[in-house]
């Protein structure tokens, strides 16, 4: 304890470094969070244990109940772990004067209960460091063992965790994250509207898909089978919504009923069971420096009300009372790890995970469908009474395709987490019907992405054979409208970059779900996948916009660093719990900063999009102006002059004609008009304009070498028609 008290300033500084909002459930209070027995076949069982200490009043209150098979004299041993290390241990006899505890001296036969409160001396209260009341998500655990005074046999073992009411799991963070994703969606829609669905227009970064992908990465960081520090475990739960994990009691009850009728077991895996259980993360220590002082306070309690087999008695000045029939109303500990620990902390039974994601996806699809159809009805009603803008005409005709495109976009965004939870359902689910649904939907999603990939490859391959590149994917408006959601952010030469992205999402989901329960395997696999993706991004730089390359590269760098930090949490490496806690704080700060940067970039892009003139609209206006100028050109126009300067031609005009026509630009300037030329070799005539003129002259009647113009030409000089190539003169 002295070692921990010597470093409170360092710990305080670290937690202040991660100055993020935390949820406060009360004032300066420490309280136990459930309990569990750690001894099989115990003769003394505890059915309820609630202990609370207030720093302001320096008073401890508790409510304990249990049962014993016989009257027994016992000795007690108290151990406290803080961040994985034992910081306190004390053996005492409940019947001794200094450590007298009435309900344990001796332990009575049958049911017993005790409630009480007691003022705590300052000498004991000062042993609890003040940081324990301000640090969110404490890692602390206390264990009480009871042994027979006569034989030394183990009679009972009780374990509990402690919290101070502060946590990094804050609903406001989820709302802010959802707001950032919504802003990115609105910006993407605004950019698409401003571009007028122009083929080849790329969305600014960070886009909606990139933001949602970042949040999904944060959520997936929290499902690995490693002993996370509580502060980071709570932080990752704020982003569970991005992967479709939404806690809703009615939905979970419905899923439980569905599982029960399709082979599921609800005994220890249902929503009602979770409501009466306290989660214990079995792959790591959950402890706190607070518990040591708190257990000392319990030993000093004097104002106690006890109830033994329905008979109440009071020790000290307490006015409290207790009823032995309420002894079974306390929550029991439920040991979890990996994906199970993440989803059940959200009150979602692990066997309900896939069905929850499926129902949330179905609700989102239903909402989008209703919204699109409602807008369609509004347009049709509008068309009956008045004319609406031309921009809405395409939506009116193609709203079914828009709906299909929206669903496909959702499939593309959710494919990684869908793979994760489908594989998890195959390996941990208990309902045959849920497994069938997982198999069908996973196959359907994969087939959809494969079909689009094949069609895009087919178009690109055909375009390369005719034009030499895949320009049709970006220049043809119809092709762009149908398939651009896969490659709209990439360069023309990297149109296929969405394929490695899909493989990346698939690999992440398979490694996490397939390696569930093996933290080292999961983390090592994640590190390899994230590192390969980072190398590809830095090597290719496939995004059209520089901002896209920068934003996605930075996101990927943070992902790699995050996995490296998570590697320190792996139990096999033996890193101390205090180091893990500091690493968890660093992770929270690093990922929070990047989330804030993404939000700022979204705001900046929105301002730029609203203020800056759209480049596609500007290019379209210049082309229309150029066409009008050449349509009104006359022989007497001043523009049809030798004085016409080549610099007055638009850049795209000079570039296009320099590549498409062998006639020098100077001849275009001199003549003042554009020569008509076919771009297809097959459509050209068999001879050129110059060749035909030479042929006509050579076929004319000869002048016979006569040069004297003072006399009439000779008689053999007869007029003849020119030879037009039929092999003889007419």
């Amino acid at each position: 304890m002295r070692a921990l008290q010597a470093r409170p300033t360092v710990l305080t500084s670290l937690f202040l470094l991660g100055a993020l909002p935390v949820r406060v459930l009360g004032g300066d209070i420490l309280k136990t969070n459930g309990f569990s027995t750690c001894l099989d076949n115990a003769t003394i069982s505890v059915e309820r244990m609630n202990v609370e200490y207030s720093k302001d009043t320096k008073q401890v209150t508790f409510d304990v109940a249990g049962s014993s098979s016989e009257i027994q004299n016992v000795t007690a041993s108290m151990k406290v772990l803080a961040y994985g290390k034992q910081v306190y241990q004390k053996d005492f006899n409940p019947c001794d004067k200094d450590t007298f505890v009435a309900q344990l001296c001796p332990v009575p036969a049958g049911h017993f209960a005790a409630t009480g409160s007691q003022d705590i001396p300052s000498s004991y209260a000062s042993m609890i460091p003040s940081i324990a009341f301000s640090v969110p998500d404490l890692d602390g655990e206390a264990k009480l063992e009871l042994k027979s005074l006569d034989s030394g046999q183990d009679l009972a073992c009780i374990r509990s965790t402690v919290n101070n009411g502060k946590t990094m799991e804050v609903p406001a963070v989820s709302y802010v994250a959802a707001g950032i994703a919504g802003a990115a969606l609105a910006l993407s829609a605004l950019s698409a509207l401003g571009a007028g669905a122009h083929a080849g227009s790329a969305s600014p970064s960070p886009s909606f898909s990139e933001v949602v992908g970042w949040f999904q990465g944060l959520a997936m960081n929290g499902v690995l089978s490693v002993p996370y520090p509580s502060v980071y475990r709570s932080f990752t739960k704020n982003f569970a919504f991005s992967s479709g994990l939404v806690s809703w009691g009615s939905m979970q009850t419905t899923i439980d009923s569905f599982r029960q009728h399709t082979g599921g077991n609800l005994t220890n895996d249902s929503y009602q069971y979770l409501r009466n259980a306290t989660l214990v993360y079995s792959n790591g220590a959950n402890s706190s420096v607070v518990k040591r002082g708190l257990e000392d306070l319990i030993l000093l309690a004097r104002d106690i009300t006890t109830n033994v087999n329905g008979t109440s008695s009071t020790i000290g000045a307490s006015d409290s009372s207790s009823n032995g029939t309420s002894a079974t109303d306390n929550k029991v500990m439920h040991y979890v790890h990996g994906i199970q620990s993440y989803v059940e902390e959200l009150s979602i039974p692990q066997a309900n995970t896939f069905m929850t994601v499926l129902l949330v996806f179905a609700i989102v699809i239903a909402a989008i469908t209703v919204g699109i159809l409602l807008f369609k009805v509004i347009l049709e009603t509008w068309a009956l009474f008045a004319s609406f803008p031309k921009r809405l005409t395409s939506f009116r005709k193609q709203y079914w395709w828009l709906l299909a495109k929206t669903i496909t976009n959702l499939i593309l965004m959710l494919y990684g987490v869908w793979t994760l939870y489908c594989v998890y359902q195959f390996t941990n689910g208990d309902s045959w019907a849920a497994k069938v649904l997982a198999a069908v939907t996973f196959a359907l999603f994969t087939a959809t992405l494969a079909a689009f990939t094949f069609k895009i490859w087919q178009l690109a391959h055909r375009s390369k054979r005719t034009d030499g590149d895949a320009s049709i994917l970006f220049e043809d408006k119809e092709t762009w409208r149908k398939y651009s959601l896969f490659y709209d952010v990439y360069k023309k030469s990297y149109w296929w970059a969405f394929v490695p992205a899909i493989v990346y999402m698939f690999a992440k989901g398979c490694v996490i779900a397939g390696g569930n329960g093996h933290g080292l395997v999961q983390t090592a696999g994640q590190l390899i996948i994230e590192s390969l993706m980072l190398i590809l991004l830095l090597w290719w730089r496939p995004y059209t916009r520089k901002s896209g390359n920068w934003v996605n590269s930075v996101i990927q760098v943070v992902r790699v660093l995050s996995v490296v930090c998570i590697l320190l949490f792996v139990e096999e490496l033996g890193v101390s719990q205090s180091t893990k806690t500091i690493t968890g704080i660093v992770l929270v700060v690093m990922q929070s900063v990047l989330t804030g940067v993404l939000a700022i970039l979204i705001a900046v892009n929105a301002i730029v999009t609203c203020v800056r003139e759209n480049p596609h609209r500007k290019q379209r206006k210049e082309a229309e102006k150029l066409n009008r100028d050449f349509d009104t050109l006359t022989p007497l126009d001043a523009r049809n002059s030798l004085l016409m300067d080549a610099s007055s031609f638009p850049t795209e005009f000079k570039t296009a004609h320099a590549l498409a026509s062998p006639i020098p630009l100077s001849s275009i300037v001199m003549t003042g008009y554009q020569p008509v030329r076919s771009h297809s070799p097959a459509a050209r005539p068999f001879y050129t304009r110059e060749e035909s003129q030479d042929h006509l002259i050579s076929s004319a009647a000869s002048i016979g070498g006569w040069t004297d113009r003072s006399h009439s030409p000779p008689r053999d000089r007869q007029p003849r028609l020119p030879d037009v190539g039929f092999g003889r003169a007419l």
Side-chain angles (χ1 to χ4, degrees):
M1 184 66 187
R2 287 192 297 270
L4 288 174
Q5 286 180 320
R7 296 186 296 173
T9 304
V10 177
L11 291 175
T12 305
S13 300
L14 287 172
F15 281 100
L16 289 178
L17 179 64
L20 296 170
V22 295
R23 183 177 65 188
V24 180
L25 301 181
D28 292 335
I29 293 176
L30 303 175
K31 60 188 302 183
T32 57
N33 183 22
F35 72 94
S36 67
T37 59
C38 44
L39 178 65
D40 295 332
N41 301 320
T43 59
I44 300 176
S45 63
V46 176
E47 300 166 348
R48 182 177 71 250
M49 186 178 73
N50 298 314
V51 183
E52 183 177 302
Y53 169 73
S54 173
K55 180 182 178 182
D56 296 333
T57 61
K58 291 184 174 57
Q59 192 175 66
V60 63
T61 59
F62 61 91
D63 182 6
V64 180
S67 62
S68 175
S69 58
E70 57 182 302
I71 300 176
Q72 303 180 73
N73 291 314
V74 299
T75 60
S77 175
M78 179 67 62
K79 295 180 181 179
V80 179
L81 301 177
Y83 298 103
K85 295 182 178 180
Q86 182 173 302
V87 296
Y88 177 77
Q89 180 178 6
K90 184 175 183 178
D91 298 328
F92 63 95
N93 188 333
C95 296
D96 289 347
K97 180 179 179 181
D98 295 335
T99 57
F100 179 73
V101 180
Q103 63 268 39
L104 298 179
C105 181
V107 175
H111 289 282
F112 61 89
T115 61
S117 63
Q118 178 65 41
D119 294 331
I120 305 304
S122 300
S123 58
Y124 286 95
S126 61
M127 299 177 66
I128 306 174
S130 59
I131 189 176
F133 298 93
S134 58
V135 173
D137 298 298
L138 294 174
D139 279 330
E141 180 183 31
K143 183 166 67 173
L144 176 65
E145 295 176 303
L146 301 180
K147 297 183 179 182
S148 172
L149 181 61
D150 301 326
S151 62
Q153 179 184 359
D154 291 332
L155 302 179
C157 179
I158 307 167
R159 181 163 50 191
S160 181
T161 60
V162 178
N163 65 67
N164 56 13
K166 298 178 175 66
T167 177
M168 295 300 295
E169 185 182 355
V170 187
V173 175
S174 299
Y175 299 148
V176 171
I180 294 174
L185 177 61
L187 177 60
S188 299
L190 182 63
S191 300
L193 183 63
H198 189 282
S201 57
S203 302
S205 292
S207 64
F208 176 65
S209 298
E210 291 166 351
V211 171
V212 172
W214 166 246
F215 290 156
Q216 287 178 348
L218 294 180
M220 295 173 77
N221 282 344
V223 303
L224 304 182
S225 301
V226 298
Y228 293 100
S230 297
V231 62
Y232 186 68
R233 179 184 289 112
S234 298
F235 175 74
T236 58
K237 292 186 181 70
N238 295 317
F239 306 96
F241 73 93
S242 63
S243 59
L245 294 175
V246 179
S247 180
W248 186 6
S250 300
M251 177 189 294
Q252 298 306 318
T253 302
T254 303
I255 296 174
D256 285 341
S257 178
F258 172 79
R259 286 177 44 230
Q260 188 175 20
H261 290 85
T262 55
N265 185 0
L266 306 185
T267 304
N268 297 321
D269 195 359
S270 66
Y271 179 70
Q272 291 298 327
Y273 175 80
L274 287 182
R275 291 184 62 184
N276 297 312
T278 298
L279 302 184
V280 178
Y281 303 96
S282 59
N283 56 352
N286 296 309
S287 55
S288 166
V289 295
V290 180
K291 192 66 176 178
R292 190 202 76 89
L294 183 60
E295 295 299 339
D296 282 338
L297 303 181
I298 297 175
L299 300 181
L300 293 174
R302 289 295 182 270
D303 295 336
I304 302 169
T305 300
T306 61
N307 184 301
V308 179
N309 295 325
T311 303
S312 298
S313 62
T314 301
I315 302 176
S318 175
D319 295 330
S320 303
S321 62
S322 176
N323 191 332
T325 59
S326 64
T328 60
D329 60 359
N330 195 77
K331 296 183 178 181
V332 296
M333 290 268 185
H334 177 52
Y335 291 89
V336 294
H337 69 279
I339 298 175
Q340 180 187 18
S341 65
Y342 187 83
V343 298
E344 292 193 348
E345 185 69 23
L346 301 170
S347 298
I348 300 175
Q350 63 93 20
N352 291 9
T353 304
F354 168 74
M355 290 300 300
T356 299
V357 177
L358 177 63
L359 290 180
V360 170
F361 177 78
I363 291 172
V364 172
I365 293 299
I368 292 175
T369 303
V370 171
I372 292 178
L373 292 179
L374 179 61
F375 192 47
K376 168 69 174 175
V377 171
I378 293 174
L379 289 182
E380 295 295 341
T381 307
W382 191 353
L384 293 176
F385 299 97
S387 60
F388 50 81
K390 293 183 179 180
R391 285 185 178 180
L392 300 177
T393 304
S394 60
F395 172 82
R396 182 187 178 190
K397 296 179 180 179
Q398 301 169 353
Y399 71 96
W400 284 115
W401 177 256
L402 177 63
L403 177 60
K405 185 177 179 180
T406 303
I407 295 175
T408 305
N409 204 356
L410 284 176
I411 292 174
L412 183 61
M413 285 193 303
L414 291 174
Y415 189 65
V417 295
W418 203 271
T419 301
L420 167 65
Y421 294 128
C422 283
V423 175
Y424 185 70
Q425 178 66 35
F426 298 151
T427 55
N428 293 273
D430 56 2
S431 168
W432 61 264
K435 290 183 178 180
V436 170
L437 288 174
V440 171
T441 54
F442 182 68
L444 183 62
F445 284 14
T446 304
T448 300
L449 298 181
F452 273 93
T453 300
F454 176 75
K455 184 61 178 179
I456 294 171
W457 175 86
Q458 192 178 43
L459 291 171
H461 185 67
R462 186 183 306 164
S463 179
K464 285 183 178 180
R465 286 188 299 177
T466 57
D467 301 331
D469 57 14
S471 58
I472 190 175
L473 298 178
F474 296 84
E475 297 175 0
D476 183 72
K477 188 173 182 179
E478 187 67 16
T479 303
W480 177 265
R481 181 180 61 82
K482 289 182 178 180
Y483 306 109
S484 62
L485 66 94
F486 286 89
Y487 57 82
D488 59 346
V489 296
Y490 300 117
K491 300 175 183 177
K492 288 184 179 181
S493 56
Y494 289 100
W495 61 267
W496 44 265
F498 70 91
V499 177
I502 293 175
V503 174
Y504 161 78
M505 293 186 290
F506 174 80
K508 282 186 63 175
C510 288
V511 168
I512 294 176
N516 186 47
H518 306 280
L520 182 59
V521 174
Q522 288 177 318
T523 310
Q526 288 291 92
L527 184 58
I528 294 173
I529 294 171
E530 300 291 1
S531 299
L532 289 176
M533 193 63 182
L534 176 61
I535 292 172
L536 294 180
L537 284 178
L538 296 178
W539 182 263
W540 290 338
R541 294 189 295 275
Y543 292 89
T544 301
R545 295 174 179 257
K546 290 184 178 179
S547 60
N549 287 313
W550 277 103
V551 168
N552 285 276
S553 296
V554 171
I555 289 177
Q556 195 61 32
V557 168
V558 175
R559 284 175 175 167
V560 173
L561 294 177
S562 299
V563 177
V564 171
C565 292
I566 293 175
L567 189 62
L568 298 179
F569 303 155
V570 175
E571 209 166 12
E572 288 83 350
L573 298 183
V575 179
S576 64
Q577 191 69 22
S578 57
T579 302
K580 293 179 181 179
T581 301
I582 296 174
T583 305
I585 297 170
V586 172
L587 263 177
V588 171
V589 174
M590 180 173 59
Q591 295 176 346
S592 299
V593 168
L594 182 54
T595 303
V597 170
L598 292 179
I600 294 173
L601 288 177
I602 291 172
V604 171
N605 288 335
I607 296 173
V608 171
T609 301
C610 294
V611 173
R612 184 182 60 184
E613 183 179 4
N614 185 269
H616 304 291
R617 184 177 300 167
K618 182 179 179 181
Q619 183 180 7
R620 188 163 53 247
K621 288 182 178 179
E622 290 180 354
E624 292 174 355
K625 181 180 179 182
L626 181 63
N627 292 334
R628 287 196 302 268
D629 289 344
F630 279 97
D631 289 342
T632 59
L633 189 62
T634 64
L636 299 179
D637 200 311
R639 292 167 293 176
N640 189 13
S641 171
L642 296 176
L643 300 178
M644 190 173 183
D645 188 6
S647 62
S648 62
F649 282 82
T651 303
E652 58 271 18
F653 175 83
K654 293 184 287 187
T655 304
H657 285 282
L659 296 175
S661 175
I663 300 176
L665 182 62
S666 59
S667 65
I668 301 174
V669 176
M670 294 292 289
T671 58
Y673 68 94
Q674 177 183 355
V676 178
R677 269 217 180 272
S678 172
H679 296 283
S680 174
R684 294 176 181 172
F686 293 104
Y687 52 84
T688 64
R689 183 171 178 266
E690 292 76 14
E691 291 171 349
S692 62
Q693 289 176 347
D694 293 341
H695 185 68
L696 288 172
I697 295 173
S698 63
S699 302
S702 65
I703 60 177
W706 177 80
T707 58
D708 187 2
R709 297 182 181 274
S710 61
H711 298 85
S712 299
R715 292 183 178 180
D716 60 347
R717 171 65 174 164
Q718 300 293 332
R720 298 175 61 187
L721 293 174
D723 186 359
V724 293
F726 290 96
R728 62 183 181 85
L730 297 177

